[in-house]
Amino acid sequence: MSMILGFAALGLLIGNLVGLTSESVVASTIGLLFSAVGGSVILFLHKLQQGDRRLAGQLILALALSTLIGIFTGIYVTEHRVLSPDYARNSPSDNKYLRSSAASEVAEIDLKYNEHAITAAQAYDQLRALVTREKK
């Protein structure tokens, strides 16, 4: 039973991360996960006893269903902005909580500032433009 709960918890974690993120890498991650789990079970299915086959089926079912529940939960939380403060729930900005940031662009601006290639005011203007561009 603890293995089934463990697989269910893993599925909920994966599903929530999928529902909360806006990255396209998520689709390939989910495909990889299910092909790895499903492929490994199919590979060893002929070596398993009848009771173990039943447990393997329950583990895959727990993972799949909890991933589906996690995805729907993550989408609901994202779209209704459950984790956002009240004042931010009605803002027109992007709904996704987990998204890639423009960290490389920020680091580039910081590097230019540290090398005295741009002034503090120019760095601020570039950062502000970067942040407002991401919200749109």
Side-chain angles (χ1 to χ4, degrees), residues 22 81 91-96 99 128-136:
S22 66
R81 305 191 93 180
S91 71
S93 66
D94 185 20
N95 285 348
K96 296 296 181 183
R99 60 182 171 271
R128 183 166 174 87
L130 183 64
V131 170
T132 55
R133 181 184 74 201
E134 283 187 2
K135 287 186 178 182
K136 293 180 182 177

Side-chain angles (χ1 to χ4, degrees), residues 11-127:
L12 283 173
L13 172 67
I14 292 167
N16 273 307
L17 290 175
V18 168
L20 291 174
T21 191
S22 66
E23 293 302 307
S24 61
V25 72
V26 172
S28 61
T29 303
I30 292 298
L32 179 65
L33 170 78
F34 283 112
S35 66
V37 172
S40 63
V41 168
I42 291 172
L43 183 64
F44 295 110
L45 194 59
H46 69 282
K47 295 181 181 180
L48 297 176
Q49 301 296 326
Q50 186 63 29
D52 293 337
R53 287 181 186 179
R54 182 181 174 124
L55 177 63
Q58 291 172 344
L59 292 173
I60 292 173
L61 179 67
L63 180 66
L65 288 179
S66 59
T67 301
L68 187 63
I69 291 168
I71 288 171
F72 286 135
T73 303
I75 290 171
Y76 179 85
V77 166
T78 299
E79 292 302 316
H80 295 283
R81 305 191 93 180
V82 175
L83 301 176
S84 297
D86 289 337
Y87 66 86
R89 286 188 182 162
N90 297 324
S91 71
S93 66
D94 185 20
N95 285 348
K96 296 296 181 183
Y97 288 113
L98 302 176
R99 60 182 171 271
S100 68
S101 65
S104 61
E105 293 180 55
V106 171
E108 185 179 324
I109 294 169
D110 185 49
L111 182 64
K112 288 178 185 176
Y113 174 73
N114 288 335
E115 291 177 348
H116 304 290
I118 58 175
T119 66
Q122 290 171 326
Y124 172 78
D125 290 340
Q126 290 178 14
L127 286 172

